[in-house]
Amino acid sequence: MSLQEKLEALKHETLAKIEAATDLVALNQIRVETLGKKGPITEVLRGMKDLSAEERPKVGSFANEIRDALAESLEARKEVLEINAMNEALAKERIDVTLSGKQMPIGTRHVLTQIIEEMEDIFVGMGYQVVEGYEVERDHYNFQRMNLPKDHPARDMQDTFYITDEILLRTHTSPVQARTMEKHDFSKGPLRMVSPGKVFRRDTDDATHSHQFHQIEGLVIDEKVTMGDLKGTLEVLMQQMFGADREIRLRPSYFPFTEPSVEVDVSCFKCGGQGCNVCKQTGWIEILGAGMVHPNVLEMSGIDATKYSGFAFGLGPDRIAMLRYGVNDIRDFYHNDIRFIHQFKGE
Ligand code: DAH
């Protein structure tokens, strides 16, 4: 076989190998084997010195031609394989962006928190500040400063859990009145505050009683505050909570810390006053206690009762939530049954 024939055969053989190469590593192997320093073509070119002067250029240019053809074919095949490799990677690493994601469960605020915040918003809109009190309170603030001295008979209605004789779980949010009054600087303007929070009583738990429940206390003190201001304020609150058509009604009552004291009813939001199961056929729903702050309470907090007057009220968010959502058992609020809690998704 002549040298040319050998080279020709090498070319065909190598082209076939290149065509058959399925990956870049194999292709590189072929390149090194055929075109590399120890490859057959280099060998032919190196052996040219033994050829005759007339054969040498012919063989030389033929060998170069073959080398160029192979290099070109290697390059073309390399491009194809690179594109294939990329397509393969793309297919393998493909992300299906249309797949639905993992559902992240979103919690919900407790219905009582929702009610309390809703009422806070209404009062903040009327210029009140929201004040926090202490759940563990002194007898002094819970009772004495609210005009309930030791052995006052009205203490019976509010028995509680005692930590010591002087420290107890507060029975109402009213002690926040005394704590706020004694700190207030009237040269900076009137006192307007609401204070929501937990309260505790030594009650037997039943559908309408829980040893722990909530109250929102309200207090306004300024010169010339009247019962008309109280009525107007509570009317706005009830209309915002239960609908623009609501009316309120005041009935005389008794609380040691207010004089006069009233029990406040709101016209039934369900039947509008006709009588139904919510209002027990009366057309009215008892909703809160209120009154004009007793002069004793003012004086004990260092406020001149001849110059200042005020009103106060206390209402129960638990009861409001029960009425509004038809919850029959107050204890449902405190069992932390997630199915109950999730019924009040809010906004
Ligand atoms: N503290 C009272 C209670 O728990 C509720 C109350 C009534 C608060 C009249 C007041 C008020 O501020 O004026 O039964």
Side-chain angles (χ1 to χ4, degrees):
M1 225 199 285
S2 75
L3 207 61
Q4 258 120 320
E5 281 167 341
K6 260 196 202 164
L7 283 171
E8 195 66 47
L10 176 72
K11 179 180 161 190
H12 286 298
E13 191 188 317
T14 309
L15 284 177
K17 276 194 203 162
I18 291 170
E19 220 36 61
T22 53
D23 64 70
L24 290 162
V25 177
L27 190 69
N28 195 46
Q29 188 74 26
I30 297 167
R31 190 182 59 78
V32 172
E33 274 169 15
T34 41
L35 303 181
K37 284 198 183 101
K38 289 174 191 155
I41 298 198
T42 314
E43 205 174 297
V44 169
L45 291 172
R46 215 180 268 143
M48 294 237 294
K49 60 182 182 327
D50 302 331
L51 294 177
S52 65
E54 109 207 29
E55 260 189 322
R56 205 177 289 160
K58 277 200 224 146
V59 173
S61 74
F62 189 62
N64 279 336
E65 245 172 60
I66 286 179
R67 188 189 58 197
D68 292 348
L70 288 179
E72 205 177 288
S73 166
L74 278 165
E75 196 50 42
R77 183 67 186 156
K78 189 174 160 211
E79 255 173 55
V80 169
L81 288 180
E82 274 172 354
I83 288 171
N84 285 352
M86 188 173 71
N87 284 339
E88 223 170 86
L90 283 175
K92 219 176 5 185
E93 293 160 22
R94 164 131 133 234
I95 294 167
D96 184 351
V97 294
T98 66
L99 272 181
S100 50
K102 267 194 196 143
Q103 185 119 33
M104 296 298 267
I106 296 175
T108 169
R109 286 174 313 152
H110 194 280
V111 59
L112 292 176
T113 308
Q114 294 180 37
I115 292 271
I116 288 169
E117 288 181 359
E118 186 179 337
M119 286 198 275
E120 280 178 5
D121 282 351
I122 294 169
F123 283 108
V124 167
M126 294 194 279
Y128 287 57
Q129 51 171 325
V130 179
V131 175
E132 277 204 49
Y134 300 119
E135 289 171 10
V136 178
E137 185 52 283
R138 290 171 53 197
D139 180 283
H140 175 77
Y141 284 104
N142 193 78
F143 290 127
Q144 296 173 52
R145 289 282 290 278
M146 298 319 290
N147 212 21
L148 280 141
K150 297 244 181 208
D151 304 322
H152 192 290
R155 281 194 181 207
D156 276 2
M157 292 190 305
Q158 301 194 3
D159 196 9
T160 183
F161 303 91
Y162 283 85
I163 285 135
T164 68
D165 279 353
E166 294 302 322
I167 299 172
L168 45 75
L169 297 188
R170 67 177 176 187
T171 58
H172 51 178
T173 44
S174 299
V176 187
Q177 287 190 31
R179 288 188 173 277
T180 316
M181 275 189 263
E182 68 187 12
K183 275 194 296 214
H184 189 73
D185 178 359
F186 282 92
S187 72
K188 300 219 167 90
L191 193 172
R192 288 190 216 99
M193 72 89 178
V194 284
S195 183
K198 292 189 187 78
V199 301
F200 308 85
R201 292 200 192 168
R202 206 224 62 162
D203 281 347
T204 308
D205 292 357
D206 62 31
T208 54
H209 294 87
S210 161
H211 59 279
Q212 176 199 300
F213 55 105
H214 293 78
Q215 288 189 339
I216 299 180
E217 195 76 14
L219 177 68
V220 172
I221 301 190
D222 197 3
E223 292 176 40
K224 302 191 180 78
V225 174
T226 70
M227 211 147 176
D229 298 318
L230 170 65
K231 189 173 183 208
T233 303
L234 293 177
E235 211 164 61
V236 168
L237 176 68
M238 287 304 136
Q239 287 169 353
Q240 300 231 20
M241 292 300 297
F242 288 112
D245 298 337
R246 296 285 66 72
E247 291 172 41
I248 62 167
R249 159 176 103 169
L250 309 187
R251 282 180 290 112
S253 184
Y254 171 77
F255 299 103
F257 31 88
T258 43
E259 182 59 39
S261 303
V262 290
E263 209 75 62
V264 181
D265 300 336
V266 61
S267 59
C268 183
F269 60 90
K270 191 170 176 206
C271 65
Q274 302 316 116
C276 69
N277 60 329
V278 171
C279 59
K280 301 197 182 85
Q281 312 305 329
T282 64
W284 294 93
I285 299 168
E286 187 183 318
I287 204 83
L288 60 92
M292 302 308 290
V293 179
H294 197 294
N296 288 355
V297 173
L298 293 173
E299 295 287 347
M300 279 190 280
S301 294
I303 295 171
D304 180 356
T306 62
K307 186 171 175 202
Y308 293 98
S309 58
F311 64 75
F313 55 87
L315 51 84
D318 305 68
R319 185 165 152 70
I320 290 179
M322 287 173 82
L323 284 167
R324 192 198 261 179
Y325 299 115
V327 175
N328 294 320
D329 194 326
I330 191 173
R331 293 168 294 190
D332 287 340
F333 293 131
Y334 301 102
H335 285 160
N336 282 334
D337 185 331
I338 205 79
R339 293 167 304 178
F340 175 81
I341 290 170
H342 274 296
Q343 288 178 47
F344 308 96
K345 279 279 185 198
E347 292 82 49

